């Protein structure tokens, strides 16, 4: 898919009202579901840092995690913010704004479920027998709480040079950003195939992006010795693709283009395929496979490090 949406929005006030309404819905119907907030600068704004900070201040209280998007190819000049000097200024300001947000109480999933039952709020999914299965899945993790402040992740492009990627790794460590999303769409078109729309303007996603994004994941994992959680995205259309991202260094995998084509049920399909691929490859869990393509950490240390990243242990753990 080639898209050139950009950062279209009705503005902070309109989005905040939607998030308020959605928050009420989630408390009753969908406890434990994660809401991410993707923040970018306005297309014509001369004050990029101010745009990001205002977005965090206005909408951060409603988010489970915050994404600093510096990699959309559809906003002029945005990718320049990936340069070390500009990125350091931006992330320093964003983390400072995040740290000033009101602290949140940990989510207690059991209490939320009981509250919903006491109010006699039932969903169609529950009536058809789907909801209890989802609850069983969610409530395996009740010992883990979401952090008091939303984690900050920076989303980078797959087209970054090695020098830029090194700068990103340095800045992320120095500013104590919680994770990196790798990657956004690509502006490249030299993938060895032809299509009448291939030269359309915009960011290309889907299968052609898979190898590019996986390589950047692997390179970033090596640059940071696996210390920074990575969300792997780009060209994932099967459980095997997801496992490739995990073995390269991703702690979490996202779907975009394949989800658009396959619909919501595609997530379950990929999860089942991933479980099968893990078993076939001899991994007891996805955590055990994180960074398996690298040999910087071995044996019990690798398992300990993966578990700490996935469950919220250690200085930068934030998954719950």
């Amino acid at each position: 898919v080639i898209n050139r949406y950009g950062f279209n929005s009705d503005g902070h006030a309109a989005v905040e009202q939607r998030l308020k309404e959605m928050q009420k819905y989630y408390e009753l119907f969908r406890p434990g579901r994660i809401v991410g907030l993707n923040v970018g600068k306005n297309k014509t704004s001369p004050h990029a840092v101010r745009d990001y900070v205002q977005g965090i201040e206005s909408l951060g209280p409603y988010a489970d995690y915050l994404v600093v998007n510096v990699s959309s190819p559809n906003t002029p000049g945005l990718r320049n913010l990936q340069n070390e000097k500009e990125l350091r200024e931006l992330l320093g300001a964003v983390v400072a704004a995040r740290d000033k947000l009101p602290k949140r109480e940990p989510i207690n999933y059991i209490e939320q479920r009981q509250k919903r039952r006491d109010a006699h709020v039932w969903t169609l999914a529950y009536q058809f027998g789907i909801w209890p299965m989802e609850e069983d899945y969610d409530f395996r993790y009740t010992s883990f709480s979401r952090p008091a402040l939303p984690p900050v992740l920076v989303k980078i492009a797959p087209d970054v040079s090695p020098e830029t990627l090194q700068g990103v790794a340095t800045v992320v460590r120095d500013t104590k950003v919680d994770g990196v999303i790798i990657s956004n769409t690509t502006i490249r078109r030299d993938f060895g195939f032809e299509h009448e729309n291939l030269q359309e303007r915009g960011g290309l996603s889907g299968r052609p992006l898979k190898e590019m994004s996986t390589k950047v994941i692997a390179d970033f994992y090596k640059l940071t010795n696996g210390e920074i959680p990575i969300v792997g995205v780009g060209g994932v259309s099967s459980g095997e693709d997801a496992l490739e991202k995990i073995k390269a260094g991703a702690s979490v995998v996202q779907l975009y283009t394949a989800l658009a084509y396959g619909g919501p049920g595609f997530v379950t399909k990929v999860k089942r395929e991933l479980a099968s691929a893990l078993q076939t490859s001899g991994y007891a869990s996805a955590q055990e496979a994180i960074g398996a393509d690298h040999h910087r950490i071995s044996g019990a240390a690798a398992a300990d490090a993966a578990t700490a990243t996935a469950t919220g242990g250690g200085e930068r753990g934030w998954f719950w």
Side-chain angles (χ1 to χ4, degrees):
V1 170
I2 296 175
N3 89 77
R4 46 181 172 268
Y5 288 135
F7 292 144
N8 301 301
S9 173
D10 291 329
H12 290 171
V15 174
E16 182 177 9
Q17 183 59 38
R18 292 182 195 134
L19 287 170
K20 284 181 179 178
E21 294 171 358
M22 186 178 68
Q23 194 174 48
K24 296 176 183 177
Y25 170 84
Y26 269 53
E27 287 177 357
L28 289 175
F29 292 94
R30 309 284 282 184
R33 296 307 190 269
I34 296 173
V35 177
L37 178 67
N38 184 66
V39 184
K41 81 176 190 71
N42 289 312
K43 183 176 182 178
T44 59
S45 174
H47 305 292
V49 173
R50 185 180 66 186
D51 285 358
Y52 285 93
V53 169
Q54 288 179 343
I56 300 298
E57 291 173 343
S58 300
L59 306 175
Y62 305 96
D64 291 297
Y65 68 94
L66 304 167
V67 179
V68 179
N69 191 330
V70 292
S71 51
S72 169
N74 300 308
T75 301
L78 186 74
R79 289 191 170 189
N80 293 336
L81 295 174
Q82 295 176 120
N83 296 329
E84 186 170 351
K85 179 181 177 181
E86 289 82 357
L87 189 63
R88 186 178 298 277
E89 179 187 3
L90 172 61
L91 293 183
V94 164
V95 170
R98 186 279 310 272
D99 290 346
K100 293 178 183 178
L101 293 176
K103 300 287 181 68
R104 308 174 302 186
E105 293 294 327
I107 289 178
N108 186 312
Y109 298 132
I110 299 296
E111 289 181 1
Q112 283 191 326
R113 178 173 62 172
Q114 190 60 49
K115 177 181 177 181
R116 189 175 67 253
R117 287 180 172 176
D118 291 344
H120 304 292
V121 178
W122 308 106
T123 66
L124 286 175
Y126 184 91
Q127 294 174 23
F128 283 101
I130 300 172
W131 188 253
M133 178 179 66
E134 291 188 339
E135 284 188 338
D136 288 343
Y137 179 83
D138 286 336
F139 289 110
R140 287 186 296 157
Y141 301 100
T142 52
S143 61
F144 304 137
S145 299
R146 70 177 185 180
L149 292 171
V152 172
L153 296 87
V154 59
K155 187 171 185 177
I156 65 174
D159 312 291
V160 291
S161 67
E163 295 76 21
T164 299
L165 190 64
Q166 174 67 71
V168 171
T170 300
V171 173
V172 165
R173 278 176 154 169
D174 292 348
T175 56
K176 300 190 182 302
V177 166
D178 299 285
V180 176
I181 299 179
I182 305 173
S183 68
N184 212 315
T185 56
T186 180
I187 57 176
R188 277 183 51 185
R189 297 293 187 269
D190 54 337
F191 292 101
F193 66 89
E194 297 295 330
H195 190 278
E196 59 181 346
N197 296 324
L198 185 60
Q199 300 307 318
E200 288 278 333
R201 180 175 54 85
L204 175 65
S205 64
R207 194 176 296 267
L209 182 59
K210 185 178 77 167
E211 291 186 8
M212 284 183 68
S213 65
T214 303
K215 183 180 185 307
V216 179
I217 289 168
D219 290 345
F220 188 85
Y221 186 92
K222 286 187 287 187
L223 284 170
T224 58
N225 293 317
E227 296 171 3
I228 308 297
I230 298 171
V231 178
V233 55
V236 177
S237 59
S238 68
E240 290 75 15
D241 294 340
L243 183 55
E244 284 184 24
K245 292 282 193 281
I246 293 168
K247 290 167 65 178
S251 299
V252 175
V253 175
Q254 287 183 344
L255 305 177
Y256 278 91
T257 303
L259 182 62
Y261 281 109
F266 197 79
V267 176
T268 300
K269 174 180 178 292
V270 171
K271 286 166 64 177
R272 288 173 177 166
E273 291 175 351
L274 175 59
S276 177
L278 286 165
Q279 185 177 27
T280 301
S281 300
Y283 297 110
S285 66
Q287 285 84 2
E288 189 177 299
I290 296 172
D293 286 344
H294 310 275
H295 302 287
R296 292 180 180 273
I297 307 175
S298 61
D304 291 344
T307 301
T309 299
T311 61
E315 181 179 350
R316 292 181 184 265
W318 52 269
F319 298 106
W320 60 91

